[in-house]
Amino acid sequence: MSKTKKEKKASVRKNILEIVPIRGISEQGYYYMDDGSYMDLLQIQAKDLINSSEDEVEYDCLKFAKLYRLYAEPLKIVCINFPCDYAKQKRFLEYKIKSTKNTIFKEQLQKKLDELEWLEKHNTTREYYYMIFSETEEGLEKNMRTLFSVLGGGRGGLIDKISFEKKKEIQFRLLNKCIMTNG
């Protein structure tokens, strides 16, 4: 028996443009892709299903069912864990600790501050997004109108628009999956 030499596989180095399909951002704030199509992100509003009434949960399920019957374009649900941000609460507690003279009250405030710091390090918030796609910007706007008309936007709705800064953070987290801290 003769041993055959194992052929070395040619190593192919990919650059970021080959891996990430996003090429830029349009004037309307939509991402345009390498194939000429467009993409945008919408946030799915989280609800407390345990404390909601059965009718409300059923109504929301019917809205999603209607959407999936009406919506024909590609749609992707993205779920991301974000670290909790308690910076405002921590600043307020630090201010109160500095301004109070009551030692017992200071101790209680310090315990609360320590709890917030622990939560910031060990707790995450799960957020859900729709990635919507279309061949044209007009098609993307039509798809967004469909989503908002079926699911509703704003306070009582199931989806909402997000800021450009938040979109950048989401894309950063999608492309850097090992990131867990803010920054």
Side-chain angles (χ1 to χ4, degrees):
M1 269 191 234
S2 65
K3 294 182 181 179
T4 60
K5 292 183 180 179
K6 291 184 180 179
E7 293 182 28
K8 281 189 173 179
K9 291 184 180 179
S11 63
V12 179
R13 293 187 63 179
K14 293 187 176 189
N15 62 24
I16 193 71
L17 291 175
E18 293 173 0
I19 297 170
V20 179
I22 297 172
R23 292 295 172 257
I25 299 165
S26 71
E27 290 180 15
Q28 288 77 17
Y30 306 138
Y31 293 100
Y32 58 88
M33 313 302 268
D34 60 356
D35 63 355
S37 64
Y38 290 85
M39 185 266 297
D40 199 18
L41 293 160
L42 296 172
Q43 184 164 6
I44 301 172
Q45 296 293 346
K47 286 195 169 186
D48 182 6
L49 298 177
I50 294 172
N51 293 322
S52 298
S53 69
E54 287 184 39
D55 293 338
E56 188 178 352
V57 173
E58 177 88 18
Y59 184 64
D60 290 344
C61 288
L62 290 173
K63 282 183 178 180
F64 281 114
K66 181 179 179 182
L67 172 72
Y68 297 132
R69 280 194 306 266
L70 292 176
Y71 196 84
E73 294 281 336
L75 183 71
K76 183 176 185 175
I77 297 176
V78 177
C79 176
I80 301 176
N81 287 335
F82 283 98
C84 293
D85 183 21
Y86 297 110
K88 287 182 182 178
Q89 292 91 332
K90 284 172 40 178
R91 279 194 307 269
F92 177 74
L93 287 174
E94 288 167 352
Y95 165 75
K96 284 297 197 181
I97 288 170
K98 287 178 186 176
S99 64
T100 189
K101 303 207 184 319
N102 186 339
T103 57
I104 296 171
F105 191 52
K106 271 188 182 184
E107 290 174 12
Q108 294 298 319
L109 289 173
Q110 188 60 47
K111 282 183 185 178
K112 289 291 184 189
L113 184 61
D114 294 341
E115 285 177 18
L116 286 178
E117 288 172 353
W118 186 89
L119 283 172
E120 234 176 14
K121 290 178 186 172
H122 298 92
N123 198 15
T124 59
T125 302
R126 182 166 287 185
E127 295 181 2
Y128 300 89
Y129 304 94
Y130 274 132
M131 264 185 176
I132 57 174
F133 302 91
S134 184
E135 295 298 320
T136 63
E137 285 185 84
E138 295 80 21
L140 194 64
E141 289 172 358
K142 178 182 169 266
N143 292 343
M144 288 177 71
R145 283 192 302 272
T146 302
L147 281 162
F148 277 97
S149 68
V150 173
L151 297 178
R155 186 170 182 182
L158 296 174
I159 58 170
D160 205 2
K161 290 186 178 183
I162 52 179
S163 69
F164 182 69
E165 292 300 317
K166 183 77 171 183
K167 288 179 189 180
K168 283 189 345 187
E169 187 176 352
I170 293 165
Q171 289 298 330
F172 179 79
R173 289 189 183 276
L174 287 173
L175 297 172
N176 300 287
K177 300 204 189 254
C178 63
I179 301 294
M180 272 304 293
T181 60
N182 286 331

